[in-house]
Amino acid sequence: MKRIILSIFIFAILTQVFAYNRKNTSVEQMYLEVSECLDHEIEKYEQNIIDTTYLYYYKQCGGKWNKTVWNEAVSKSVDFCNDKAAVTASKAGDFGEKFLQALIVTTEDVWHGFNNWLDNKSREYNKRK
């Protein structure tokens, strides 16, 4: 009986330790995290980049953020804030906003395509062994 109670107790603790329930998944929180990564205050053009990236990932996860999606969104925002094409697009008004949206979607498609290619080739390799 003691083992069962101890097992349940340990399971409950581990569940709480590894559970991810971010309370603040707002775009303002993303500004703060990206600002920390960039090590400077967010500029207006960077806010546009972060807003666009945030909305893309928000739609992808249906507003139900998890740690992986949140970290990926922050990471992509930082990458785009350091990317000359994304910065130029962000500063270019409406055309730039559309270009930035296309850039984010294309980057995501390329990444998923690469992962699919890698998985397929790995399976093919295992079949040929």
Side-chain angles (χ1 to χ4, degrees):
M1 184 68 177
K2 288 181 182 180
R3 285 185 180 183
I4 293 173
I5 293 173
L6 183 61
S7 296
I8 292 172
F9 181 72
I10 290 172
F11 177 75
I13 289 174
L14 289 176
T15 302
Q16 293 302 315
V17 169
F18 292 109
Y20 182 79
N21 188 10
R22 177 178 284 279
K23 293 186 181 188
N24 189 357
T25 56
S26 67
V27 72
E28 289 82 12
Q29 181 64 32
M30 190 168 286
Y31 292 157
L32 292 173
E33 291 189 30
V34 171
S35 176
E36 288 175 9
C37 293
L38 294 174
D39 202 27
H40 68 264
E41 292 294 317
I42 298 297
E43 302 286 334
K44 181 68 175 162
Y45 70 89
E46 291 170 328
Q47 283 182 348
N48 294 336
I49 292 170
I50 295 166
D51 290 343
T52 305
T53 308
Y54 178 88
L55 287 174
Y56 175 79
Y57 281 96
Y58 182 85
K59 289 177 185 175
Q60 291 295 312
C61 70
K64 296 178 181 165
W65 296 95
N66 62 42
K67 186 176 184 177
T68 304
V69 174
W70 182 263
N71 290 340
E72 185 176 332
V74 170
S75 175
K76 292 293 180 187
S77 293
V78 171
D79 290 345
F80 284 125
C81 286
N82 289 321
D83 183 78
K84 290 180 182 179
V87 168
T88 302
S90 178
K91 293 179 179 180
D94 287 339
F95 171 77
E97 184 177 341
K98 290 179 182 181
F99 181 77
L100 183 60
Q101 291 168 348
L103 185 63
I104 290 169
V105 170
T106 302
T107 302
E108 196 66 23
D109 289 347
V110 167
W111 179 249
H112 287 298
F114 176 75
N115 283 338
N116 290 338
W117 173 82
L118 189 62
D119 291 340
N120 289 338
K121 294 303 175 183
S122 177
R123 281 193 296 273
E124 185 177 325
Y125 174 83
N126 289 330
K127 286 180 184 177
R128 291 183 182 186
K129 285 201 291 186

